[in-house]
Amino acid sequence: MSPTKTKWLRSWSVESDDDINHIENISSSPTSLMVSPFRFFDDEIYNTKPYLPSTVSSFQTIIDEAIIDETSTETFYPLIVSPLQTLDDKAYNITSPSTLEVGPLQTVDDENHNPKTPSPTLDVPPLPTIDGETHKTEPPLPTPEITLLQTVDNNINNTPPPPLMVSSLLAIVPYEANKDSIASDDGPSSGAIKRKRGRPKGSKNLKMAIKKPKPYDPNSKVVTSCPSFDSGISEAERETGNKEVAESVLMRFDAVRRRLCQLKCVKGPSLLTTALSNCKNLGVRTNTKKRIGSIPGIKVGEIFYFWGEMCLVGLHMPMVAGIDYLTIKDGATEGPLATSVIPGQLKENRGTDNSRKGLILKDLSYGAENLPIPLVNEIDENDKEMPQDFSYAKSSLVQPMVYECGDACPCPPDCHNRVTQTGTFICELVGMAKRIHGVDEDDEYMFDSSRVYNQFKWNYEPELVGENCWDQVSEAYKLRWRMLVSSKEYGNVSRFMNHSCSPNVMWQPIEFEDSRQPCVRIAFFAMKHIPPLTELRFDYGMSCKTEEVGEDGKTIFKGKKICHCGSFKCQGSFG
Ligand SMILES: C[S@@+](CC[C@H](N)C(=O)[O-])C[C@H]1O[C@@H](n2cnc3c(N)ncnc32)[C@H](O)[C@@H]1O
């Protein structure tokens, strides 16, 4: 899926992927952003089956206060989750369609439920973390260990583990380079909800101790074509006059994304603080500054740790001149991750090339997603502009940590925590939750659940989630709060999806319940089969405030923006 600029605004959009290899990949790793290999539904049925749900009180949901608008009277109905859709394997040469059936889903009809092989268990040793919600800081732990657990699925099927969909800043972070493994941290102030899981039979428990960082090797060389890297090097040279140091840091920063990092201060705390505080616009969490800055009395020569979930790519050299060491603590210095810093490989994995028209960056997520998110501008070919003031974030920054149940979870078969494992799932909405009074009217990246959505319904497409017919929909749900989420500054690939009055993507609120702290996320699903390189678009909805009565007496909603979706059903406006 690629963010692509659209004609009318010279802006970005998202399309499904064109790479058959990716399709094959996703067939064995039903994660995510690729929608092509799945079987979906005929457009014709949309808008044809109005559904009037009844209220069921069994959902006891309380959303994070930050995203509740008590004044909202809007009613929305989240997804009832049922058995999986199957794949259109013939059409896409997917040889192992079973790999997409990733296990038990949230079911309403238990009889259709097929329990699957359990998979990853998560041991969560304490690591130095930052509390994404409160931005509290925590003292660093001197010798953190990361426990890596291999999934059972991987052992048995020799396929990548199912994606672990988490929605938190400091949640479970799948390791990109070592895809067999999943590590998690659980800082003392993370406020995490953690579901207890037993370790699946056959899983491995690899403990990786922190190793002493290697000193800088002046003979090492890294060549990268990443634009931000290149500019970083030149600035570093200008500032420090030391190209070798600059390259060394670049190399290590590239490798460190989303991993536990170790830094050694060599020039004093002020410079170090500056270095990391300036990361925020370049892919590092904003609270990194607080974390680093709050370490009392950090001195030259001291080593400290932070959890680098987001990439540090693009960090400018003058800012990092005080950092001598930056090493990775997941054992990757000996394993697969180490290869990511081999000279020349960065270009292969992260950089740009000319193989695709308008390609600016191969992976906007810089490895945060399981699949690369290419940044493409096919309209203004010579425009290599990156999205401004935007950091790719895989997870929302303000919602409490949640886990979607894995196969090893001892939850009942009708557990509702499996929806994002379905084949039609694309991605979730990631951004910053806003209060109604904190909404910027000009924010073009605001998701507002209270708008009028032409095609929004609870359990919108029953077949999509395994319901045979409308009659079988036995459960309904009312979204009792208005969700306002802005992906202007932070967001994932969903940020680039444009609006369409004939969308191929729909959203549904997905509830993740825990006995202590339930929460809701917005998940995007394909509404039908989406061929490769098709732009992904969903219905942005319209604000109720713009309601009018048309000539025929029917209510017309007029959005704030003129719509250029080009659909023959285009209503002319949205938002
Ligand atoms: C969430 S952004 C979508 C990605 C955006 N195109 C970009 O470049 O970042 C939403 C904005 O994209 C533009 N947009 C999306 N869909 C549109 C449509 N159908 N017609 C006109 N503008 C659209 C509007 O400016 C809208 O506020």
Side-chain angles (χ1 to χ4, degrees), residues 4-6 8-13 443-446 487 494-500 537 540 561-566 574:
T4 314
K5 281 199 172 182
T6 52
W8 55 89
L9 288 172
R10 293 176 65 247
S11 56
W12 304 98
S13 62
D443 188 343
E444 298 195 325
Y445 298 88
M446 184 65 70
S487 55
S494 69
R495 177 196 196 258
F496 297 95
M497 286 192 216
N498 284 322
H499 162 85
S500 174
R537 302 192 286 189
Y540 282 13
K561 288 224 158 200
I562 304 293
C563 180
H564 294 272
C565 76
F574 66 87

PDB file of all heavy atoms in Angstrom, residues 4-6 8-13 443-446 487 494-500 537 540 561-566 574, ligand 1:
ATOM      1  N   THR A   4       0.155   7.935  -2.104  1.00  0.00           N
ATOM      2  CA  THR A   4       0.368   8.504  -3.425  1.00  0.00           C
ATOM      3  C   THR A   4      -0.289   9.867  -3.485  1.00  0.00           C
ATOM      4  O   THR A   4      -1.353  10.062  -2.942  1.00  0.00           O
ATOM      5  CB  THR A   4      -0.305   7.610  -4.493  1.00  0.00           C
ATOM      6  OG1 THR A   4       0.027   6.268  -4.225  1.00  0.00           O
ATOM      7  CG2 THR A   4       0.157   7.991  -5.873  1.00  0.00           C
ATOM      8  N   LYS A   5       0.311  10.755  -4.193  1.00  0.00           N
ATOM      9  CA  LYS A   5      -0.306  12.076  -4.296  1.00  0.00           C
ATOM     10  C   LYS A   5      -1.471  12.051  -5.274  1.00  0.00           C
ATOM     11  O   LYS A   5      -1.400  11.433  -6.331  1.00  0.00           O
ATOM     12  CB  LYS A   5       0.734  13.083  -4.740  1.00  0.00           C
ATOM     13  CG  LYS A   5       1.615  13.491  -3.574  1.00  0.00           C
ATOM     14  CD  LYS A   5       2.334  14.772  -3.847  1.00  0.00           C
ATOM     15  CE  LYS A   5       3.037  15.238  -2.589  1.00  0.00           C
ATOM     16  NZ  LYS A   5       3.703  16.522  -2.807  1.00  0.00           N
ATOM     17  N   THR A   6      -2.502  12.726  -4.895  1.00  0.00           N
ATOM     18  CA  THR A   6      -3.663  12.791  -5.763  1.00  0.00           C
ATOM     19  C   THR A   6      -3.647  14.091  -6.532  1.00  0.00           C
ATOM     20  O   THR A   6      -3.054  15.065  -6.110  1.00  0.00           O
ATOM     21  CB  THR A   6      -4.947  12.713  -4.923  1.00  0.00           C
ATOM     22  OG1 THR A   6      -4.862  13.704  -3.910  1.00  0.00           O
ATOM     23  CG2 THR A   6      -5.073  11.360  -4.286  1.00  0.00           C
ATOM     24  N   TRP A   8      -5.873  16.404  -7.384  1.00  0.00           N
ATOM     25  CA  TRP A   8      -6.506  17.670  -7.046  1.00  0.00           C
ATOM     26  C   TRP A   8      -5.795  18.452  -5.959  1.00  0.00           C
ATOM     27  O   TRP A   8      -5.918  19.647  -5.866  1.00  0.00           O
ATOM     28  CB  TRP A   8      -7.962  17.448  -6.651  1.00  0.00           C
ATOM     29  CG  TRP A   8      -8.133  16.466  -5.540  1.00  0.00           C
ATOM     30  CD1 TRP A   8      -8.139  16.706  -4.223  1.00  0.00           C
ATOM     31  CD2 TRP A   8      -8.327  15.060  -5.679  1.00  0.00           C
ATOM     32  NE1 TRP A   8      -8.318  15.566  -3.520  1.00  0.00           N
ATOM     33  CE2 TRP A   8      -8.441  14.536  -4.383  1.00  0.00           C
ATOM     34  CE3 TRP A   8      -8.414  14.196  -6.770  1.00  0.00           C
ATOM     35  CZ2 TRP A   8      -8.653  13.180  -4.161  1.00  0.00           C
ATOM     36  CZ3 TRP A   8      -8.626  12.861  -6.526  1.00  0.00           C
ATOM     37  CH2 TRP A   8      -8.745  12.374  -5.240  1.00  0.00           C
ATOM     38  N   LEU A   9      -5.056  17.781  -5.167  1.00  0.00           N
ATOM     39  CA  LEU A   9      -4.436  18.499  -4.066  1.00  0.00           C
ATOM     40  C   LEU A   9      -2.918  18.320  -4.014  1.00  0.00           C
ATOM     41  O   LEU A   9      -2.293  18.733  -3.065  1.00  0.00           O
ATOM     42  CB  LEU A   9      -5.009  17.979  -2.745  1.00  0.00           C
ATOM     43  CG  LEU A   9      -6.432  18.400  -2.480  1.00  0.00           C
ATOM     44  CD1 LEU A   9      -6.946  17.676  -1.258  1.00  0.00           C
ATOM     45  CD2 LEU A   9      -6.501  19.892  -2.266  1.00  0.00           C
ATOM     46  N   ARG A  10      -2.388  17.697  -5.018  1.00  0.00           N
ATOM     47  CA  ARG A  10      -0.992  17.291  -4.924  1.00  0.00           C
ATOM     48  C   ARG A  10      -0.767  16.621  -3.585  1.00  0.00           C
ATOM     49  O   ARG A  10       0.163  16.906  -2.861  1.00  0.00           O
ATOM     50  CB  ARG A  10      -0.055  18.491  -5.044  1.00  0.00           C
ATOM     51  CG  ARG A  10      -0.054  19.154  -6.386  1.00  0.00           C
ATOM     52  CD  ARG A  10       0.819  20.371  -6.405  1.00  0.00           C
ATOM     53  NE  ARG A  10       2.225  20.037  -6.203  1.00  0.00           N
ATOM     54  CZ  ARG A  10       2.901  20.402  -5.128  1.00  0.00           C
ATOM     55  NH1 ARG A  10       2.308  21.052  -4.162  1.00  0.00           N
ATOM     56  NH2 ARG A  10       4.153  20.087  -5.006  1.00  0.00           N
ATOM     57  N   SER A  11      -1.652  15.769  -3.248  1.00  0.00           N
ATOM     58  CA  SER A  11      -1.591  15.202  -1.906  1.00  0.00           C
ATOM     59  C   SER A  11      -1.475  13.691  -1.973  1.00  0.00           C
ATOM     60  O   SER A  11      -1.518  13.098  -3.025  1.00  0.00           O
ATOM     61  CB  SER A  11      -2.835  15.601  -1.136  1.00  0.00           C
ATOM     62  OG  SER A  11      -3.964  15.194  -1.850  1.00  0.00           O
ATOM     63  N   TRP A  12      -1.360  13.124  -0.808  1.00  0.00           N
ATOM     64  CA  TRP A  12      -1.050  11.701  -0.720  1.00  0.00           C
ATOM     65  C   TRP A  12      -2.310  10.867  -0.616  1.00  0.00           C
ATOM     66  O   TRP A  12      -3.285  11.268  -0.025  1.00  0.00           O
ATOM     67  CB  TRP A  12      -0.190  11.432   0.496  1.00  0.00           C
ATOM     68  CG  TRP A  12       1.040  12.242   0.489  1.00  0.00           C
ATOM     69  CD1 TRP A  12       1.249  13.407   1.154  1.00  0.00           C
ATOM     70  CD2 TRP A  12       2.224  11.982  -0.237  1.00  0.00           C
ATOM     71  NE1 TRP A  12       2.501  13.879   0.892  1.00  0.00           N
ATOM     72  CE2 TRP A  12       3.134  13.020   0.042  1.00  0.00           C
ATOM     73  CE3 TRP A  12       2.620  10.954  -1.093  1.00  0.00           C
ATOM     74  CZ2 TRP A  12       4.390  13.070  -0.492  1.00  0.00           C
ATOM     75  CZ3 TRP A  12       3.879  11.012  -1.622  1.00  0.00           C
ATOM     76  CH2 TRP A  12       4.749  12.061  -1.326  1.00  0.00           C
ATOM     77  N   SER A  13      -2.229   9.745  -1.149  1.00  0.00           N
ATOM     78  CA  SER A  13      -3.306   8.782  -0.964  1.00  0.00           C
ATOM     79  C   SER A  13      -2.658   7.426  -0.729  1.00  0.00           C
ATOM     80  O   SER A  13      -1.452   7.302  -0.705  1.00  0.00           O
ATOM     81  CB  SER A  13      -4.201   8.757  -2.196  1.00  0.00           C
ATOM     82  OG  SER A  13      -3.452   8.347  -3.316  1.00  0.00           O
ATOM     83  N   ASP A 443      -8.089  21.057  10.768  1.00  0.00           N
ATOM     84  CA  ASP A 443      -7.327  19.809  10.741  1.00  0.00           C
ATOM     85  C   ASP A 443      -7.907  18.879   9.682  1.00  0.00           C
ATOM     86  O   ASP A 443      -9.005  18.344   9.833  1.00  0.00           O
ATOM     87  CB  ASP A 443      -7.369  19.143  12.121  1.00  0.00           C
ATOM     88  CG  ASP A 443      -6.438  17.944  12.201  1.00  0.00           C
ATOM     89  OD1 ASP A 443      -6.023  17.443  11.138  1.00  0.00           O
ATOM     90  OD2 ASP A 443      -6.138  17.516  13.330  1.00  0.00           O
ATOM     91  N   GLU A 444      -7.161  18.693   8.631  1.00  0.00           N
ATOM     92  CA  GLU A 444      -7.642  17.868   7.521  1.00  0.00           C
ATOM     93  C   GLU A 444      -7.497  16.384   7.808  1.00  0.00           C
ATOM     94  O   GLU A 444      -7.900  15.546   7.003  1.00  0.00           O
ATOM     95  CB  GLU A 444      -6.879  18.214   6.243  1.00  0.00           C
ATOM     96  CG  GLU A 444      -7.071  19.646   5.804  1.00  0.00           C
ATOM     97  CD  GLU A 444      -6.624  19.855   4.370  1.00  0.00           C
ATOM     98  OE1 GLU A 444      -5.648  19.210   3.966  1.00  0.00           O
ATOM     99  OE2 GLU A 444      -7.270  20.663   3.677  1.00  0.00           O
ATOM    100  N   TYR A 445      -6.912  16.083   8.929  1.00  0.00           N
ATOM    101  CA  TYR A 445      -6.623  14.684   9.236  1.00  0.00           C
ATOM    102  C   TYR A 445      -7.437  14.206  10.438  1.00  0.00           C
ATOM    103  O   TYR A 445      -7.043  13.295  11.148  1.00  0.00           O
ATOM    104  CB  TYR A 445      -5.119  14.503   9.477  1.00  0.00           C
ATOM    105  CG  TYR A 445      -4.332  14.861   8.247  1.00  0.00           C
ATOM    106  CD1 TYR A 445      -3.918  16.167   8.015  1.00  0.00           C
ATOM    107  CD2 TYR A 445      -4.060  13.899   7.281  1.00  0.00           C
ATOM    108  CE1 TYR A 445      -3.221  16.505   6.864  1.00  0.00           C
ATOM    109  CE2 TYR A 445      -3.370  14.228   6.129  1.00  0.00           C
ATOM    110  CZ  TYR A 445      -2.955  15.530   5.927  1.00  0.00           C
ATOM    111  OH  TYR A 445      -2.276  15.850   4.773  1.00  0.00           O
ATOM    112  N   MET A 446      -8.568  14.840  10.628  1.00  0.00           N
ATOM    113  CA  MET A 446      -9.392  14.507  11.787  1.00  0.00           C
ATOM    114  C   MET A 446     -10.409  13.418  11.419  1.00  0.00           C
ATOM    115  O   MET A 446     -11.178  13.564  10.480  1.00  0.00           O
ATOM    116  CB  MET A 446     -10.127  15.760  12.263  1.00  0.00           C
ATOM    117  CG  MET A 446     -10.946  15.544  13.528  1.00  0.00           C
ATOM    118  SD  MET A 446      -9.915  15.151  14.945  1.00  0.00           S
ATOM    119  CE  MET A 446      -9.119  16.717  15.211  1.00  0.00           C
ATOM    120  N   SER A 487      -4.719  12.450  12.852  1.00  0.00           N
ATOM    121  CA  SER A 487      -3.455  11.832  12.424  1.00  0.00           C
ATOM    122  C   SER A 487      -2.570  12.854  11.713  1.00  0.00           C
ATOM    123  O   SER A 487      -1.726  12.503  10.907  1.00  0.00           O
ATOM    124  CB  SER A 487      -3.735  10.625  11.519  1.00  0.00           C
ATOM    125  OG  SER A 487      -4.544  11.009  10.436  1.00  0.00           O
ATOM    126  N   SER A 494      -3.144   4.760   7.397  1.00  0.00           N
ATOM    127  CA  SER A 494      -4.548   5.175   7.238  1.00  0.00           C
ATOM    128  C   SER A 494      -4.659   6.683   7.039  1.00  0.00           C
ATOM    129  O   SER A 494      -5.636   7.180   6.494  1.00  0.00           O
ATOM    130  CB  SER A 494      -5.385   4.746   8.446  1.00  0.00           C
ATOM    131  OG  SER A 494      -5.011   5.490   9.591  1.00  0.00           O
ATOM    132  N   ARG A 495      -3.677   7.394   7.483  1.00  0.00           N
ATOM    133  CA  ARG A 495      -3.690   8.848   7.328  1.00  0.00           C
ATOM    134  C   ARG A 495      -3.749   9.271   5.864  1.00  0.00           C
ATOM    135  O   ARG A 495      -4.202  10.351   5.521  1.00  0.00           O
ATOM    136  CB  ARG A 495      -2.423   9.418   7.962  1.00  0.00           C
ATOM    137  CG  ARG A 495      -2.249  10.924   7.825  1.00  0.00           C
ATOM    138  CD  ARG A 495      -0.808  11.253   8.127  1.00  0.00           C
ATOM    139  NE  ARG A 495      -0.601  12.665   8.381  1.00  0.00           N
ATOM    140  CZ  ARG A 495      -0.095  13.509   7.488  1.00  0.00           C
ATOM    141  NH1 ARG A 495       0.206  13.097   6.283  1.00  0.00           N
ATOM    142  NH2 ARG A 495       0.105  14.774   7.810  1.00  0.00           N
ATOM    143  N   PHE A 496      -3.271   8.428   5.009  1.00  0.00           N
ATOM    144  CA  PHE A 496      -3.172   8.799   3.604  1.00  0.00           C
ATOM    145  C   PHE A 496      -4.361   8.342   2.781  1.00  0.00           C
ATOM    146  O   PHE A 496      -4.394   8.527   1.584  1.00  0.00           O
ATOM    147  CB  PHE A 496      -1.878   8.234   3.020  1.00  0.00           C
ATOM    148  CG  PHE A 496      -0.662   8.799   3.678  1.00  0.00           C
ATOM    149  CD1 PHE A 496      -0.053   8.137   4.733  1.00  0.00           C
ATOM    150  CD2 PHE A 496      -0.146  10.011   3.281  1.00  0.00           C
ATOM    151  CE1 PHE A 496       1.062   8.662   5.359  1.00  0.00           C
ATOM    152  CE2 PHE A 496       0.966  10.549   3.900  1.00  0.00           C
ATOM    153  CZ  PHE A 496       1.577   9.879   4.953  1.00  0.00           C
ATOM    154  N   MET A 497      -5.300   7.725   3.400  1.00  0.00           N
ATOM    155  CA  MET A 497      -6.474   7.284   2.655  1.00  0.00           C
ATOM    156  C   MET A 497      -7.373   8.481   2.390  1.00  0.00           C
ATOM    157  O   MET A 497      -7.773   9.185   3.314  1.00  0.00           O
ATOM    158  CB  MET A 497      -7.251   6.234   3.444  1.00  0.00           C
ATOM    159  CG  MET A 497      -6.607   4.871   3.475  1.00  0.00           C
ATOM    160  SD  MET A 497      -7.800   3.692   4.116  1.00  0.00           S
ATOM    161  CE  MET A 497      -6.747   2.624   5.051  1.00  0.00           C
ATOM    162  N   ASN A 498      -7.724   8.662   1.156  1.00  0.00           N
ATOM    163  CA  ASN A 498      -8.621   9.745   0.787  1.00  0.00           C
ATOM    164  C   ASN A 498     -10.074   9.334   0.951  1.00  0.00           C
ATOM    165  O   ASN A 498     -10.379   8.160   1.178  1.00  0.00           O
ATOM    166  CB  ASN A 498      -8.347  10.168  -0.653  1.00  0.00           C
ATOM    167  CG  ASN A 498      -7.087  11.002  -0.763  1.00  0.00           C
ATOM    168  OD1 ASN A 498      -6.805  11.824   0.122  1.00  0.00           O
ATOM    169  ND2 ASN A 498      -6.328  10.808  -1.820  1.00  0.00           N
ATOM    170  N   HIS A 499     -10.925  10.314   0.789  1.00  0.00           N
ATOM    171  CA  HIS A 499     -12.368  10.063   0.876  1.00  0.00           C
ATOM    172  C   HIS A 499     -12.912   9.627  -0.477  1.00  0.00           C
ATOM    173  O   HIS A 499     -12.463  10.089  -1.528  1.00  0.00           O
ATOM    174  CB  HIS A 499     -13.085  11.337   1.320  1.00  0.00           C
ATOM    175  CG  HIS A 499     -14.551  11.304   1.012  1.00  0.00           C
ATOM    176  ND1 HIS A 499     -15.471  10.722   1.866  1.00  0.00           N
ATOM    177  CD2 HIS A 499     -15.248  11.735  -0.065  1.00  0.00           C
ATOM    178  CE1 HIS A 499     -16.685  10.821   1.328  1.00  0.00           C
ATOM    179  NE2 HIS A 499     -16.572  11.433   0.155  1.00  0.00           N
ATOM    180  N   SER A 500     -13.902   8.771  -0.423  1.00  0.00           N
ATOM    181  CA  SER A 500     -14.653   8.473  -1.644  1.00  0.00           C
ATOM    182  C   SER A 500     -16.112   8.265  -1.282  1.00  0.00           C
ATOM    183  O   SER A 500     -16.439   7.715  -0.221  1.00  0.00           O
ATOM    184  CB  SER A 500     -14.117   7.211  -2.324  1.00  0.00           C
ATOM    185  OG  SER A 500     -14.958   6.877  -3.428  1.00  0.00           O
ATOM    186  N   ARG A 537      -9.790   4.001  -0.296  1.00  0.00           N
ATOM    187  CA  ARG A 537     -10.539   5.196   0.100  1.00  0.00           C
ATOM    188  C   ARG A 537     -11.731   4.797   0.956  1.00  0.00           C
ATOM    189  O   ARG A 537     -12.383   3.791   0.701  1.00  0.00           O
ATOM    190  CB  ARG A 537     -11.017   5.954  -1.131  1.00  0.00           C
ATOM    191  CG  ARG A 537      -9.858   6.372  -2.036  1.00  0.00           C
ATOM    192  CD  ARG A 537     -10.261   7.356  -3.081  1.00  0.00           C
ATOM    193  NE  ARG A 537     -11.048   6.779  -4.152  1.00  0.00           N
ATOM    194  CZ  ARG A 537     -11.355   7.439  -5.272  1.00  0.00           C
ATOM    195  NH1 ARG A 537     -10.947   8.683  -5.436  1.00  0.00           N
ATOM    196  NH2 ARG A 537     -12.075   6.870  -6.200  1.00  0.00           N
ATOM    197  N   TYR A 540     -15.464   9.525   4.482  1.00  0.00           N
ATOM    198  CA  TYR A 540     -15.126  10.414   5.599  1.00  0.00           C
ATOM    199  C   TYR A 540     -16.361  10.840   6.384  1.00  0.00           C
ATOM    200  O   TYR A 540     -16.250  11.371   7.486  1.00  0.00           O
ATOM    201  CB  TYR A 540     -14.458  11.691   5.084  1.00  0.00           C
ATOM    202  CG  TYR A 540     -13.002  11.562   4.692  1.00  0.00           C
ATOM    203  CD1 TYR A 540     -12.373  10.333   4.537  1.00  0.00           C
ATOM    204  CD2 TYR A 540     -12.252  12.706   4.474  1.00  0.00           C
ATOM    205  CE1 TYR A 540     -11.044  10.249   4.170  1.00  0.00           C
ATOM    206  CE2 TYR A 540     -10.920  12.635   4.107  1.00  0.00           C
ATOM    207  CZ  TYR A 540     -10.320  11.406   3.946  1.00  0.00           C
ATOM    208  OH  TYR A 540      -8.994  11.331   3.583  1.00  0.00           O
ATOM    209  N   LYS A 561     -15.947  20.144   2.660  1.00  0.00           N
ATOM    210  CA  LYS A 561     -14.976  20.109   1.556  1.00  0.00           C
ATOM    211  C   LYS A 561     -15.629  19.635   0.269  1.00  0.00           C
ATOM    212  O   LYS A 561     -16.488  18.751   0.294  1.00  0.00           O
ATOM    213  CB  LYS A 561     -13.851  19.145   1.920  1.00  0.00           C
ATOM    214  CG  LYS A 561     -12.932  19.662   2.993  1.00  0.00           C
ATOM    215  CD  LYS A 561     -11.496  19.397   2.617  1.00  0.00           C
ATOM    216  CE  LYS A 561     -10.573  20.336   3.343  1.00  0.00           C
ATOM    217  NZ  LYS A 561      -9.288  20.437   2.678  1.00  0.00           N
ATOM    218  N   ILE A 562     -15.191  20.199  -0.806  1.00  0.00           N
ATOM    219  CA  ILE A 562     -15.644  19.748  -2.115  1.00  0.00           C
ATOM    220  C   ILE A 562     -14.994  18.401  -2.422  1.00  0.00           C
ATOM    221  O   ILE A 562     -13.784  18.244  -2.255  1.00  0.00           O
ATOM    222  CB  ILE A 562     -15.232  20.755  -3.224  1.00  0.00           C
ATOM    223  CG1 ILE A 562     -15.763  22.140  -2.889  1.00  0.00           C
ATOM    224  CG2 ILE A 562     -15.719  20.279  -4.591  1.00  0.00           C
ATOM    225  CD1 ILE A 562     -17.261  22.260  -2.919  1.00  0.00           C
ATOM    226  N   CYS A 563     -15.797  17.485  -2.847  1.00  0.00           N
ATOM    227  CA  CYS A 563     -15.285  16.142  -3.094  1.00  0.00           C
ATOM    228  C   CYS A 563     -14.867  15.987  -4.559  1.00  0.00           C
ATOM    229  O   CYS A 563     -15.587  16.375  -5.468  1.00  0.00           O
ATOM    230  CB  CYS A 563     -16.337  15.090  -2.744  1.00  0.00           C
ATOM    231  SG  CYS A 563     -15.745  13.418  -3.031  1.00  0.00           S
ATOM    232  N   HIS A 564     -13.722  15.377  -4.735  1.00  0.00           N
ATOM    233  CA  HIS A 564     -13.212  15.104  -6.082  1.00  0.00           C
ATOM    234  C   HIS A 564     -13.041  13.606  -6.283  1.00  0.00           C
ATOM    235  O   HIS A 564     -12.155  13.179  -7.003  1.00  0.00           O
ATOM    236  CB  HIS A 564     -11.862  15.791  -6.279  1.00  0.00           C
ATOM    237  CG  HIS A 564     -11.939  17.281  -6.256  1.00  0.00           C
ATOM    238  ND1 HIS A 564     -12.189  18.019  -7.382  1.00  0.00           N
ATOM    239  CD2 HIS A 564     -11.804  18.163  -5.245  1.00  0.00           C
ATOM    240  CE1 HIS A 564     -12.192  19.308  -7.054  1.00  0.00           C
ATOM    241  NE2 HIS A 564     -11.967  19.413  -5.766  1.00  0.00           N
ATOM    242  N   CYS A 565     -13.865  12.849  -5.630  1.00  0.00           N
ATOM    243  CA  CYS A 565     -13.633  11.407  -5.699  1.00  0.00           C
ATOM    244  C   CYS A 565     -13.901  10.851  -7.091  1.00  0.00           C
ATOM    245  O   CYS A 565     -13.395   9.790  -7.447  1.00  0.00           O
ATOM    246  CB  CYS A 565     -14.460  10.670  -4.648  1.00  0.00           C
ATOM    247  SG  CYS A 565     -16.207  10.496  -5.046  1.00  0.00           S
ATOM    248  N   GLY A 566     -14.714  11.535  -7.861  1.00  0.00           N
ATOM    249  CA  GLY A 566     -14.945  11.094  -9.228  1.00  0.00           C
ATOM    250  C   GLY A 566     -15.940   9.964  -9.354  1.00  0.00           C
ATOM    251  O   GLY A 566     -16.211   9.485 -10.449  1.00  0.00           O
ATOM    252  N   PHE A 574     -17.774  16.380   1.439  1.00  0.00           N
ATOM    253  CA  PHE A 574     -17.543  15.472   2.576  1.00  0.00           C
ATOM    254  C   PHE A 574     -17.004  16.284   3.736  1.00  0.00           C
ATOM    255  O   PHE A 574     -16.658  17.455   3.595  1.00  0.00           O
ATOM    256  CB  PHE A 574     -16.566  14.360   2.187  1.00  0.00           C
ATOM    257  CG  PHE A 574     -15.174  14.862   1.883  1.00  0.00           C
ATOM    258  CD1 PHE A 574     -14.227  15.021   2.888  1.00  0.00           C
ATOM    259  CD2 PHE A 574     -14.815  15.207   0.588  1.00  0.00           C
ATOM    260  CE1 PHE A 574     -12.953  15.491   2.612  1.00  0.00           C
ATOM    261  CE2 PHE A 574     -13.548  15.679   0.294  1.00  0.00           C
ATOM    262  CZ  PHE A 574     -12.616  15.820   1.313  1.00  0.00           C
TER     263      PHE A 574
HETATM  264  C1  LIG B   1      -6.626  12.383   5.715  1.00  0.00           C
HETATM  265  S1  LIG B   1      -6.094  13.401   4.423  1.00  0.00           S
HETATM  266  C2  LIG B   1      -5.910  12.283   3.120  1.00  0.00           C
HETATM  267  C3  LIG B   1      -4.540  12.267   2.601  1.00  0.00           C
HETATM  268  C4  LIG B   1      -4.211  13.555   1.935  1.00  0.00           C
HETATM  269  N1  LIG B   1      -4.588  13.476   0.527  1.00  0.00           N
HETATM  270  C5  LIG B   1      -2.731  13.855   2.115  1.00  0.00           C
HETATM  271  O1  LIG B   1      -2.067  14.163   1.171  1.00  0.00           O
HETATM  272  O2  LIG B   1      -2.217  13.804   3.207  1.00  0.00           O
HETATM  273  C6  LIG B   1      -7.588  14.220   4.090  1.00  0.00           C
HETATM  274  C7  LIG B   1      -7.484  15.357   3.134  1.00  0.00           C
HETATM  275  O3  LIG B   1      -7.212  14.914   1.812  1.00  0.00           O
HETATM  276  C8  LIG B   1      -8.009  15.647   0.891  1.00  0.00           C
HETATM  277  N2  LIG B   1      -8.993  14.749   0.290  1.00  0.00           N
HETATM  278  C9  LIG B   1      -9.205  13.467   0.631  1.00  0.00           C
HETATM  279  N3  LIG B   1     -10.175  12.938  -0.130  1.00  0.00           N
HETATM  280  C10 LIG B   1     -10.595  13.901  -0.957  1.00  0.00           C
HETATM  281  C11 LIG B   1     -11.592  13.958  -1.952  1.00  0.00           C
HETATM  282  N4  LIG B   1     -12.359  12.913  -2.273  1.00  0.00           N
HETATM  283  N5  LIG B   1     -11.773  15.115  -2.596  1.00  0.00           N
HETATM  284  C12 LIG B   1     -11.021  16.180  -2.311  1.00  0.00           C
HETATM  285  N6  LIG B   1     -10.054  16.196  -1.380  1.00  0.00           N
HETATM  286  C13 LIG B   1      -9.835  15.069  -0.700  1.00  0.00           C
HETATM  287  C14 LIG B   1      -8.714  16.723   1.673  1.00  0.00           C
HETATM  288  O4  LIG B   1      -7.911  17.870   1.680  1.00  0.00           O
HETATM  289  C15 LIG B   1      -8.773  16.105   3.035  1.00  0.00           C
HETATM  290  O5  LIG B   1      -8.923  17.074   4.049  1.00  0.00           O
END
